[in-house]
Coordinates of all heavy atoms in Angstrom, one line a residue:
M4 N 58.4 96.0 -53.5 CA 57.1 96.6 -53.6 C 57.1 97.5 -54.8 O 58.1 98.1 -55.2 CB 56.8 97.5 -52.4 CG 56.7 96.8 -51.1 SD 55.1 97.0 -50.5 CE 55.2 96.1 -49.0
T5 N 55.9 97.6 -55.4 CA 55.7 98.5 -56.6 C 55.5 99.9 -56.1 O 55.5 100.2 -54.9 CB 54.6 98.0 -57.4 OG1 53.4 98.0 -56.6 CG2 54.8 96.6 -57.9
R6 N 55.2 100.7 -57.1 CA 55.0 102.1 -56.8 C 53.8 102.4 -56.0 O 53.7 103.3 -55.2 CB 54.9 102.9 -58.2 CG 56.1 102.9 -58.9 CD 56.0 103.7 -60.2 NE 57.0 103.3 -61.1 CZ 57.0 103.5 -62.4 NH1 56.0 104.1 -62.9 NH2 58.0 103.1 -63.1
N7 N 52.7 101.6 -56.1 CA 51.5 101.8 -55.4 C 51.5 101.2 -54.0 O 50.5 101.0 -53.4 CB 50.2 101.4 -56.1 CG 50.4 101.1 -57.5 OD1 51.4 101.2 -58.1 ND2 49.3 100.7 -58.1
N8 N 52.6 100.7 -53.6 CA 52.8 100.0 -52.3 C 52.1 98.7 -52.2 O 51.7 98.2 -51.2 CB 52.3 100.9 -51.1 CG 53.3 102.1 -50.8 OD1 54.5 102.0 -51.1 ND2 52.8 103.2 -50.3
E9 N 51.8 98.1 -53.4 CA 51.3 96.7 -53.4 C 52.4 95.7 -53.6 O 53.4 96.0 -54.3 CB 50.3 96.6 -54.6 CG 49.0 97.4 -54.5 CD 48.1 97.2 -55.6 OE1 48.4 96.3 -56.5 OE2 47.1 97.9 -55.7
P10 N 52.3 94.6 -52.9 CA 53.4 93.6 -53.0 C 53.4 93.0 -54.4 O 52.3 92.8 -55.0 CB 53.0 92.6 -51.9 CG 51.6 92.8 -51.6 CD 51.3 94.2 -52.0
T11 N 54.6 92.6 -54.8 CA 54.7 92.0 -56.1 C 54.2 90.6 -56.0 O 53.9 90.0 -54.9 CB 56.2 92.0 -56.6 OG1 56.9 91.2 -55.7 CG2 56.7 93.4 -56.7
R12 N 54.1 89.9 -57.1 CA 53.7 88.5 -57.2 C 54.6 87.6 -56.4 O 54.1 86.7 -55.6 CB 53.6 88.1 -58.6 CG 53.0 86.7 -58.8 CD 52.9 86.4 -60.3 NE 52.4 85.0 -60.4 CZ 51.4 84.7 -61.1 NH1 50.6 85.6 -61.6 NH2 51.0 83.4 -61.1
R13 N 55.9 87.9 -56.5 CA 56.8 87.0 -55.7 C 56.7 87.2 -54.2 O 56.8 86.3 -53.4 CB 58.3 87.4 -56.1 CG 58.7 86.7 -57.4 CD 60.2 86.9 -57.7 NE 60.5 86.5 -59.0 CZ 61.3 87.2 -59.8 NH1 61.9 88.3 -59.4 NH2 61.5 86.7 -61.0
E14 N 56.5 88.5 -53.8 CA 56.3 88.8 -52.4 C 55.1 88.1 -51.9 O 55.0 87.6 -50.7 CB 56.3 90.3 -52.2 CG 57.6 90.9 -52.4 CD 57.5 92.5 -52.4 OE1 56.4 93.0 -52.6 OE2 58.6 93.1 -52.2
R15 N 54.0 88.2 -52.6 CA 52.7 87.5 -52.2 C 52.9 86.0 -52.1 O 52.5 85.4 -51.1 CB 51.6 87.9 -53.2 CG 51.1 89.3 -53.0 CD 49.7 89.4 -53.7 NE 49.6 88.8 -55.0 CZ 49.5 89.4 -56.2 NH1 49.5 90.7 -56.2 NH2 49.4 88.7 -57.3
K16 N 53.6 85.5 -53.1 CA 53.9 84.0 -53.1 C 54.7 83.6 -51.9 O 54.4 82.7 -51.2 CB 54.6 83.6 -54.4 CG 54.8 82.1 -54.4 CD 55.5 81.7 -55.7 CE 55.8 80.2 -55.8 NZ 56.5 79.8 -57.0
A17 N 55.7 84.4 -51.6 CA 56.6 84.1 -50.4 C 55.8 84.2 -49.1 O 55.9 83.4 -48.2 CB 57.8 85.1 -50.4
S18 N 54.9 85.2 -49.0 CA 54.1 85.4 -47.8 C 53.1 84.2 -47.7 O 52.9 83.7 -46.6 CB 53.3 86.7 -48.0 OG 52.4 86.8 -46.9
L19 N 52.5 83.8 -48.8 CA 51.6 82.7 -48.7 C 52.3 81.4 -48.3 O 51.8 80.6 -47.5 CB 50.9 82.5 -50.0 CG 49.8 83.5 -50.3 CD1 49.3 83.4 -51.8 CD2 48.7 83.5 -49.3
E20 N 53.5 81.2 -48.9 CA 54.3 80.0 -48.6 C 54.7 80.0 -47.1 O 54.6 78.9 -46.4 CB 55.5 79.9 -49.5 CG 55.1 79.4 -50.8 CD 56.4 79.4 -51.8 OE1 57.4 80.0 -51.4 OE2 56.2 78.9 -52.9
A21 N 55.0 81.2 -46.5 CA 55.4 81.2 -45.1 C 54.1 80.9 -44.3 O 54.2 80.2 -43.3 CB 55.9 82.6 -44.8
T22 N 53.0 81.4 -44.7 CA 51.7 81.2 -44.0 C 51.4 79.7 -44.0 O 51.0 79.1 -43.0 CB 50.6 82.0 -44.6 OG1 50.9 83.3 -44.5 CG2 49.3 81.7 -43.8
I23 N 51.6 79.0 -45.2 CA 51.3 77.6 -45.3 C 52.3 76.8 -44.4 O 51.9 75.9 -43.7 CB 51.4 77.2 -46.7 CG1 50.2 77.7 -47.5 CG2 51.4 75.7 -46.9 CD1 50.3 77.6 -49.0
E24 N 53.5 77.2 -44.4 CA 54.5 76.5 -43.6 C 54.2 76.6 -42.1 O 54.3 75.6 -41.3 CB 55.9 77.0 -43.9 CG 57.0 76.3 -43.2 CD 57.1 74.8 -43.6 OE1 56.8 74.5 -44.8 OE2 57.5 74.0 -42.8
Q25 N 53.7 77.8 -41.7 CA 53.4 78.0 -40.3 C 52.2 77.1 -39.9 O 52.1 76.5 -38.9 CB 53.1 79.4 -40.0 CG 52.8 79.7 -38.5 CD 53.9 79.4 -37.6 OE1 55.1 79.6 -37.9 NE2 53.6 78.7 -36.5
Q26 N 51.2 77.0 -40.8 CA 50.0 76.2 -40.6 C 50.4 74.7 -40.5 O 49.8 74.0 -39.7 CB 49.0 76.4 -41.7 CG 48.3 77.8 -41.7 CD 47.4 78.0 -42.8 OE1 47.4 77.3 -43.8 NE2 46.6 79.1 -42.7
R27 N 51.4 74.3 -41.3 CA 51.8 72.9 -41.2 C 52.4 72.6 -39.9 O 52.2 71.6 -39.2 CB 52.9 72.6 -42.3 CG 52.3 72.5 -43.7 CD 53.4 72.2 -44.7 NE 52.8 72.0 -46.0 CZ 53.5 72.2 -47.1 NH1 54.7 72.5 -47.1 NH2 52.9 72.1 -48.3
V28 N 53.3 73.6 -39.4 CA 53.9 73.4 -38.1 C 52.8 73.4 -37.0 O 52.8 72.5 -36.1 CB 54.9 74.5 -37.8 CG1 55.4 74.5 -36.4 CG2 56.1 74.4 -38.7
D29 N 51.8 74.3 -37.1 CA 50.7 74.3 -36.1 C 49.9 72.9 -36.1 O 49.6 72.4 -35.1 CB 49.7 75.4 -36.4 CG 50.4 76.8 -36.1 OD1 51.4 76.8 -35.4 OD2 49.8 77.8 -36.6
I30 N 49.7 72.4 -37.3 CA 49.0 71.1 -37.4 C 49.8 70.0 -36.8 O 49.2 69.2 -36.1 CB 48.6 70.8 -38.9 CG1 47.5 71.8 -39.3 CG2 48.1 69.4 -39.0 CD1 47.2 71.7 -40.8
L31 N 51.1 70.0 -37.0 CA 51.9 68.9 -36.5 C 51.9 69.0 -35.0 O 51.8 68.0 -34.3 CB 53.3 69.0 -37.0 CG 53.5 68.6 -38.5 CD1 54.9 68.9 -39.0 CD2 53.3 67.1 -38.6
L32 N 52.0 70.2 -34.4 CA 52.0 70.4 -32.9 C 50.6 70.0 -32.4 O 50.6 69.3 -31.3 CB 52.3 71.8 -32.6 CG 53.8 72.2 -32.8 CD1 54.0 73.7 -32.5 CD2 54.7 71.4 -31.9
A33 N 49.6 70.3 -33.0 CA 48.2 70.0 -32.6 C 48.1 68.4 -32.6 O 47.5 67.9 -31.7 CB 47.2 70.7 -33.4
A34 N 48.6 67.8 -33.6 CA 48.4 66.3 -33.7 C 49.3 65.7 -32.6 O 48.8 64.7 -32.1 CB 48.9 65.9 -35.1
E35 N 50.4 66.2 -32.3 CA 51.2 65.6 -31.3 C 50.6 65.8 -29.9 O 50.5 64.8 -29.1 CB 52.6 66.3 -31.2 CG 53.6 65.6 -30.3 CD 55.0 66.2 -30.3 OE1 55.3 66.8 -31.4 OE2 55.7 66.1 -29.4
R36 N 50.0 66.9 -29.7 CA 49.2 67.2 -28.4 C 48.0 66.2 -28.3 O 47.7 65.7 -27.3 CB 48.8 68.6 -28.3 CG 49.8 69.6 -27.9 CD 49.3 70.9 -27.6 NE 50.2 71.9 -28.0 CZ 50.1 72.9 -28.8 NH1 48.9 73.1 -29.4 NH2 51.0 73.8 -29.1
W37 N 47.4 66.0 -29.5 CA 46.2 65.1 -29.5 C 46.6 63.7 -29.1 O 45.9 63.1 -28.3 CB 45.6 65.2 -30.9 CG 44.4 64.3 -31.0 CD1 44.5 62.9 -31.4 CD2 43.1 64.5 -30.8 NE1 43.3 62.4 -31.5 CE2 42.3 63.3 -31.1 CE3 42.3 65.6 -30.4 CZ2 41.0 63.2 -30.9 CZ3 41.0 65.5 -30.3 CH2 40.3 64.3 -30.5
Q38 N 47.7 63.3 -29.7 CA 48.2 61.9 -29.4 C 48.6 61.8 -27.9 O 48.3 60.8 -27.3 CB 49.3 61.5 -30.3 CG 48.9 61.3 -31.7 CD 50.1 60.9 -32.7 OE1 51.2 61.2 -32.3 NE2 49.8 60.4 -33.8
D39 N 49.2 62.8 -27.4 CA 49.6 62.7 -26.0 C 48.4 62.7 -25.1 O 48.4 62.0 -24.1 CB 50.5 64.0 -25.6 CG 51.9 63.9 -26.3 OD1 52.3 62.8 -26.7 OD2 52.6 64.9 -26.3
A40 N 47.4 63.5 -25.4 CA 46.2 63.6 -24.6 C 45.4 62.3 -24.7 O 44.7 61.9 -23.7 CB 45.3 64.8 -25.0
S41 N 45.4 61.6 -25.8 CA 44.5 60.4 -26.0 C 45.3 59.1 -25.7 O 44.7 58.0 -25.8 CB 44.0 60.3 -27.4 OG 45.0 60.2 -28.4
A42 N 46.6 59.2 -25.3 CA 47.4 58.0 -25.0 C 46.8 57.2 -23.9 O 46.7 55.9 -24.0 CB 48.8 58.4 -24.7
P43 N 46.3 57.7 -22.8 CA 45.7 56.9 -21.7 C 44.5 56.1 -22.2 O 44.3 55.0 -21.9 CB 45.4 57.8 -20.6 CG 46.3 59.0 -20.8 CD 46.5 59.1 -22.3
L44 N 43.7 56.8 -23.0 CA 42.5 56.2 -23.6 C 42.9 55.0 -24.5 O 42.3 54.0 -24.5 CB 41.6 57.1 -24.3 CG 41.0 58.2 -23.4 CD1 40.3 59.3 -24.3 CD2 40.0 57.6 -22.4
E45 N 43.9 55.2 -25.3 CA 44.3 54.2 -26.3 C 44.9 53.0 -25.5 O 44.6 51.8 -25.9 CB 45.3 54.8 -27.2 CG 44.8 55.7 -28.3 CD 43.9 55.0 -29.2 OE1 44.1 53.8 -29.6 OE2 42.9 55.6 -29.7
N46 N 45.6 53.2 -24.4 CA 46.2 52.1 -23.7 C 45.1 51.3 -23.0 O 45.1 50.1 -22.9 CB 47.2 52.7 -22.6 CG 48.4 53.3 -23.2 OD1 48.7 52.9 -24.4 ND2 49.1 54.1 -22.5
G47 N 44.1 52.1 -22.5 CA 43.0 51.4 -21.8 C 42.2 50.5 -22.8 O 41.8 49.4 -22.6
W48 N 42.0 51.1 -24.0 CA 41.2 50.4 -25.1 C 42.0 49.1 -25.5 O 41.4 48.0 -25.7 CB 41.0 51.3 -26.2 CG 40.2 50.6 -27.3 CD1 40.7 50.2 -28.6 CD2 38.9 50.1 -27.3 NE1 39.7 49.6 -29.3 CE2 38.6 49.6 -28.6 CE3 37.9 50.2 -26.3 CZ2 37.3 49.0 -28.8 CZ3 36.6 49.7 -26.7 CH2 36.4 49.1 -27.9
R49 N 43.3 49.2 -25.6 CA 44.1 48.0 -25.9 C 44.0 46.9 -24.8 O 44.0 45.8 -25.2 CB 45.6 48.4 -26.1 CG 45.9 49.0 -27.5 CD 47.3 49.2 -27.8 NE 47.6 50.3 -28.6 CZ 48.1 51.5 -28.2 NH1 48.5 51.6 -27.0 NH2 48.2 52.5 -29.1
L50 N 44.0 47.4 -23.6 CA 43.9 46.4 -22.5 C 42.6 45.7 -22.5 O 42.5 44.5 -22.4 CB 44.1 47.2 -21.2 CG 44.1 46.3 -19.9 CD1 45.3 45.5 -19.9 CD2 43.9 47.2 -18.7
I51 N 41.5 46.5 -22.8 CA 40.2 45.9 -22.9 C 40.1 44.9 -24.1 O 39.6 43.8 -23.9 CB 39.1 47.0 -23.1 CG1 38.9 47.7 -21.8 CG2 37.8 46.4 -23.5 CD1 38.0 49.0 -21.9
R52 N 40.7 45.3 -25.2 CA 40.6 44.4 -26.4 C 41.4 43.1 -26.1 O 41.1 42.0 -26.6 CB 41.2 45.1 -27.6 CG 40.2 46.2 -28.1 CD 40.4 46.7 -29.4 NE 40.3 45.6 -30.4 CZ 40.9 45.6 -31.5 NH1 41.6 46.6 -31.9 NH2 40.7 44.6 -32.4
R53 N 42.5 43.2 -25.3 CA 43.3 42.1 -25.1 C 42.6 41.0 -24.2 O 42.7 39.8 -24.5 CB 44.6 42.5 -24.3 CG 45.6 41.3 -24.1 CD 46.8 41.7 -23.3 NE 47.3 43.0 -23.6 CZ 48.0 43.8 -22.8 NH1 48.3 43.3 -21.6 NH2 48.5 44.9 -23.2
Y54 N 41.8 41.5 -23.3 CA 41.1 40.6 -22.4 C 39.6 40.4 -22.7 O 38.8 39.8 -22.0 CB 41.2 41.1 -20.9 CG 42.6 41.0 -20.4 CD1 43.3 42.2 -20.1 CD2 43.3 39.8 -20.3 CE1 44.6 42.2 -19.7 CE2 44.6 39.8 -19.9 CZ 45.2 41.0 -19.5 OH 46.5 40.9 -19.1
R55 N 39.2 40.8 -23.9 CA 37.8 40.7 -24.3 C 37.3 39.3 -24.4 O 36.3 38.9 -23.9 CB 37.6 41.5 -25.6 CG 36.2 41.4 -26.1 CD 36.0 42.2 -27.4 NE 36.9 41.6 -28.4 CZ 37.0 42.1 -29.6 NH1 36.4 43.2 -29.9 NH2 37.9 41.6 -30.5
T56 N 38.1 38.5 -25.1 CA 37.7 37.1 -25.3 C 37.6 36.3 -24.0 O 36.6 35.6 -23.8 CB 38.6 36.4 -26.4 OG1 38.6 37.1 -27.6 CG2 38.2 35.0 -26.6
P57 N 38.6 36.4 -23.2 CA 38.5 35.6 -21.9 C 37.3 36.2 -21.0 O 36.7 35.4 -20.4 CB 39.8 35.9 -21.2 CG 40.8 36.3 -22.3 CD 40.0 36.9 -23.3
A58 N 37.1 37.5 -21.1 CA 36.0 38.0 -20.3 C 34.6 37.5 -20.8 O 33.8 37.2 -20.0 CB 36.1 39.6 -20.2
L59 N 34.5 37.5 -22.1 CA 33.2 37.0 -22.6 C 33.0 35.5 -22.4 O 31.9 35.1 -22.1 CB 33.2 37.3 -24.2 CG 33.0 38.7 -24.6 CD1 33.1 38.9 -26.1 CD2 31.7 39.3 -24.1
T60 N 34.1 34.8 -22.4 CA 34.0 33.3 -22.2 C 33.6 33.1 -20.7 O 32.8 32.3 -20.4 CB 35.4 32.6 -22.5 OG1 35.7 32.9 -23.8 CG2 35.3 31.2 -22.3
L61 N 34.3 33.8 -19.8 CA 34.0 33.7 -18.4 C 32.6 34.1 -18.1 O 31.9 33.5 -17.3 CB 35.0 34.5 -17.5 CG 34.8 34.5 -16.0 CD1 35.1 33.0 -15.5 CD2 35.8 35.4 -15.4
G62 N 32.1 35.2 -18.7 CA 30.8 35.7 -18.5 C 29.8 34.7 -19.0 O 28.7 34.5 -18.4
G63 N 30.1 34.0 -20.1 CA 29.2 33.0 -20.6 C 29.1 31.8 -19.6 O 28.0 31.3 -19.4
F64 N 30.2 31.4 -19.1 CA 30.2 30.3 -18.1 C 29.5 30.7 -16.8 O 28.8 29.9 -16.2 CB 31.6 29.8 -17.7 CG 32.2 29.0 -18.8 CD1 33.5 29.3 -19.3 CD2 31.6 27.8 -19.2 CE1 34.1 28.5 -20.3 CE2 32.2 27.0 -20.2 CZ 33.4 27.3 -20.7
M65 N 29.6 32.0 -16.4 CA 28.9 32.4 -15.2 C 27.3 32.5 -15.5 O 26.5 32.4 -14.6 CB 29.4 33.7 -14.8 CG 30.8 33.6 -14.2 SD 31.5 35.2 -13.8 CE 30.4 35.8 -12.5
L66 N 27.0 32.8 -16.7 CA 25.6 33.0 -17.1 C 24.9 31.7 -17.3 O 23.7 31.6 -17.2 CB 25.5 33.8 -18.4 CG 24.2 34.4 -18.8 CD1 23.6 35.3 -17.7 CD2 24.3 35.1 -20.1
W67 N 25.6 30.6 -17.6 CA 25.0 29.3 -17.9 C 24.1 28.8 -16.8 O 23.0 28.4 -17.1 CB 26.1 28.3 -18.3 CG 25.6 27.0 -18.6 CD1 25.6 25.8 -17.9 CD2 24.8 26.7 -19.8 NE1 25.0 24.8 -18.6 CE2 24.5 25.3 -19.8 CE3 24.5 27.4 -20.9 CZ2 23.8 24.7 -20.8 CZ3 23.8 26.8 -21.9 CH2 23.4 25.5 -21.8
P68 N 24.5 28.8 -15.5 CA 23.6 28.3 -14.5 C 22.4 29.1 -14.4 O 21.3 28.6 -14.0 CB 24.5 28.3 -13.2 CG 25.9 28.4 -13.6 CD 25.9 29.0 -15.0
L69 N 22.5 30.4 -14.6 CA 21.4 31.3 -14.5 C 20.4 31.0 -15.6 O 19.2 31.1 -15.3 CB 21.9 32.8 -14.7 CG 21.9 33.6 -13.5 CD1 22.9 34.7 -13.5 CD2 20.5 34.2 -13.3
L70 N 20.8 30.7 -16.8 CA 19.9 30.3 -17.8 C 19.2 29.0 -17.6 O 18.1 28.8 -18.0 CB 20.7 30.3 -19.2 CG 21.2 31.6 -19.7 CD1 22.0 31.4 -20.9 CD2 20.0 32.6 -20.0
R71 N 19.9 28.1 -16.9 CA 19.3 26.8 -16.6 C 18.3 26.9 -15.5 O 17.3 26.2 -15.5 CB 20.5 25.8 -16.2 CG 21.4 25.5 -17.4 CD 22.4 24.5 -17.0 NE 21.8 23.2 -16.7 CZ 22.3 22.3 -15.8 NH1 23.4 22.6 -15.2 NH2 21.7 21.2 -15.6
R72 N 18.5 27.7 -14.5 CA 17.6 27.9 -13.4 C 17.3 29.4 -13.1 O 17.9 30.0 -12.2 CB 18.1 27.2 -12.1 CG 18.3 25.8 -12.2 CD 18.8 25.2 -10.9 NE 19.2 23.8 -11.1 CZ 20.5 23.5 -11.4 NH1 21.4 24.4 -11.5 NH2 20.8 22.2 -11.5
P73 N 16.4 30.0 -13.9 CA 16.2 31.4 -13.8 C 15.5 31.8 -12.4 O 15.5 32.9 -12.0 CB 15.3 31.8 -15.0 CG 14.7 30.5 -15.4 CD 15.7 29.4 -15.0
G74 N 14.9 30.8 -11.8 CA 14.2 31.1 -10.5 C 15.1 31.6 -9.4 O 14.8 32.5 -8.7
K75 N 16.3 31.0 -9.4 CA 17.3 31.4 -8.4 C 17.7 32.9 -8.6 O 17.9 33.7 -7.7 CB 18.6 30.6 -8.5 CG 18.3 29.2 -7.9 CD 19.7 28.5 -7.8 CE 19.5 27.1 -7.1 NZ 20.8 26.4 -7.0
A76 N 17.9 33.3 -9.9 CA 18.3 34.7 -10.2 C 17.2 35.6 -9.8 O 17.4 36.7 -9.2 CB 18.6 34.8 -11.7
L77 N 15.9 35.3 -10.1 CA 14.8 36.1 -9.7 C 14.7 36.3 -8.1 O 14.5 37.4 -7.6 CB 13.5 35.6 -10.2 CG 13.3 35.6 -11.7 CD1 12.1 34.9 -12.2 CD2 13.3 37.1 -12.2
K78 N 14.9 35.2 -7.4 CA 14.9 35.2 -6.0 C 16.0 36.1 -5.5 O 15.8 36.9 -4.5 CB 15.0 33.8 -5.4 CG 14.9 33.7 -4.0 CD 14.9 32.2 -3.5 CE 14.8 32.1 -2.0 NZ 14.9 30.7 -1.6
F79 N 17.2 35.9 -6.0 CA 18.4 36.8 -5.6 C 18.1 38.2 -5.9 O 18.4 39.1 -5.1 CB 19.6 36.3 -6.4 CG 20.9 37.0 -6.0 CD1 21.4 36.9 -4.7 CD2 21.5 37.9 -6.9 CE1 22.5 37.6 -4.4 CE2 22.6 38.6 -6.5 CZ 23.2 38.4 -5.3
G80 N 17.5 38.5 -7.0 CA 17.1 39.9 -7.4 C 16.1 40.5 -6.4 O 16.3 41.7 -6.0
R81 N 15.1 39.7 -6.0 CA 14.2 40.2 -5.0 C 14.9 40.5 -3.7 O 14.6 41.5 -3.0 CB 13.1 39.2 -4.8 CG 12.0 39.2 -5.9 CD 10.8 38.4 -5.5 NE 11.1 37.0 -5.2 CZ 11.0 36.0 -6.1 NH1 10.5 36.3 -7.4 NH2 11.2 34.8 -5.8
H82 N 15.8 39.6 -3.3 CA 16.6 39.9 -2.0 C 17.4 41.2 -2.1 O 17.5 41.9 -1.2 CB 17.5 38.7 -1.7 CG 16.8 37.5 -1.2 ND1 16.1 37.5 0.0 CD2 16.7 36.2 -1.8 CE1 15.6 36.3 0.1 NE2 15.9 35.5 -0.9
L83 N 18.0 41.4 -3.3 CA 18.8 42.6 -3.5 C 17.9 43.9 -3.4 O 18.3 44.9 -2.7 CB 19.5 42.6 -4.9 CG 20.7 41.8 -5.0 CD1 21.3 41.9 -6.4 CD2 21.8 42.4 -4.0
V84 N 16.7 43.8 -4.0 CA 15.8 45.0 -4.0 C 15.3 45.2 -2.5 O 15.3 46.4 -2.0 CB 14.6 44.8 -4.9 CG1 13.5 45.8 -4.7 CG2 15.1 44.8 -6.4
F85 N 15.0 44.1 -1.8 CA 14.5 44.3 -0.4 C 15.7 44.9 0.4 O 15.4 45.7 1.3 CB 14.1 42.9 0.1 CG 13.7 43.0 1.6 CD1 12.5 43.5 2.0 CD2 14.6 42.5 2.5 CE1 12.2 43.6 3.3 CE2 14.2 42.6 3.9 CZ 13.0 43.1 4.3
G86 N 16.9 44.4 0.2 CA 18.0 44.9 1.0 C 18.3 46.4 0.7 O 18.5 47.2 1.7
A87 N 18.2 46.8 -0.5 CA 18.4 48.2 -0.9 C 17.3 49.1 -0.2 O 17.6 50.1 0.3 CB 18.4 48.3 -2.4
M88 N 16.1 48.6 -0.3 CA 15.0 49.4 0.3 C 15.1 49.5 1.8 O 14.9 50.5 2.4 CB 13.6 48.8 -0.1 CG 13.3 49.0 -1.5 SD 11.8 48.3 -2.0 CE 10.6 49.3 -1.2
A89 N 15.6 48.4 2.5 CA 15.7 48.4 3.9 C 16.9 49.4 4.3 O 16.8 50.1 5.2 CB 16.1 47.0 4.4
L90 N 18.0 49.4 3.5 CA 19.1 50.3 3.8 C 18.6 51.7 3.6 O 19.0 52.6 4.4 CB 20.2 50.0 2.9 CG 21.1 48.8 3.3 CD1 22.2 48.5 2.2 CD2 21.8 49.0 4.6
K91 N 17.8 52.0 2.6 CA 17.3 53.4 2.4 C 16.5 53.8 3.5 O 16.6 54.9 4.0 CB 16.5 53.4 1.1 CG 16.1 54.8 0.6 CD 15.4 54.7 -0.7 CE 15.0 56.1 -1.1 NZ 14.3 56.0 -2.4
R92 N 15.5 53.0 4.0 CA 14.7 53.3 5.1 C 15.5 53.5 6.4 O 15.2 54.4 7.2 CB 13.6 52.3 5.3 CG 12.5 52.4 4.2 CD 11.4 51.4 4.5 NE 10.5 51.5 3.3 CZ 9.4 50.8 3.2 NH1 9.1 49.9 4.2 NH2 8.6 51.0 2.2
F93 N 16.4 52.6 6.6 CA 17.3 52.7 7.8 C 18.1 54.0 7.8 O 18.2 54.6 8.8 CB 18.2 51.5 7.9 CG 19.1 51.5 9.1 CD1 18.6 51.3 10.4 CD2 20.5 51.8 9.0 CE1 19.4 51.3 11.5 CE2 21.3 51.8 10.1 CZ 20.7 51.6 11.3
G94 N 18.5 54.4 6.6 CA 19.2 55.7 6.5 C 18.4 56.9 6.8 O 18.9 57.9 7.4
K95 N 17.1 56.8 6.5 CA 16.2 57.9 6.9 C 16.0 58.0 8.4 O 15.6 59.1 8.9 CB 14.9 57.8 6.2 CG 14.9 58.1 4.7 CD 13.5 57.9 4.1 CE 13.6 58.2 2.6 NZ 12.3 58.1 2.0
L96 N 16.1 56.9 9.1 CA 15.9 56.9 10.5 C 17.0 57.5 11.3 O 16.8 58.0 12.4 CB 15.7 55.4 11.0 CG 14.4 54.8 10.6 CD1 14.4 53.3 11.1 CD2 13.2 55.5 11.2
L97 N 18.2 57.5 10.7 CA 19.3 58.1 11.4 C 19.2 59.6 11.5 O 18.7 60.3 10.6 CB 20.6 57.8 10.6 CG 21.0 56.3 10.5 CD1 22.3 56.2 9.6 CD2 21.4 55.8 11.9
P98 N 19.6 60.2 12.6 CA 19.5 61.6 12.9 C 20.4 62.4 11.8 O 21.5 62.0 11.5 CB 20.0 61.9 14.3 CG 20.7 60.7 14.7 CD 20.2 59.5 13.8
G99 N 19.8 63.5 11.4 CA 20.5 64.4 10.5 C 20.5 64.0 9.0 O 21.1 64.6 8.2
R100 N 19.8 62.9 8.7 CA 19.7 62.5 7.3 C 18.2 62.5 6.9 O 17.4 62.0 7.6 CB 20.2 61.0 7.2 CG 21.6 60.8 7.7 CD 22.6 60.3 6.8 NE 22.0 59.8 5.5 CZ 22.8 59.0 4.8 NH1 24.0 58.7 5.1 NH2 22.3 58.6 3.7
H101 N 18.0 63.2 5.8 CA 16.6 63.3 5.3 C 16.4 62.7 3.9 O 17.1 62.7 3.1 CB 16.1 64.7 5.3 CG 16.2 65.3 6.6 ND1 15.4 64.9 7.7 CD2 16.9 66.4 7.1 CE1 15.6 65.7 8.7 NE2 16.6 66.6 8.4

């Protein structure tokens, strides 16, 4: 230190270098925590990407009959809607449910 209690240039440089080194360590630790936290998501994404082509192919094969005869799909949809509405009304009839 100099006479006015101000740090010298070397001391300031050493202080700044220590601060930078600490920031580097903090960034490395944060990056490691980030990778640990996102690992399950990454694994799930890899699994989805692995089976994407077979799933799209199977979906296409399942969609083909629907495209050839759309009337059956519309009829099935109407049955689903009717069934859902019937279950909803039946649920309102049960005691204690509003």
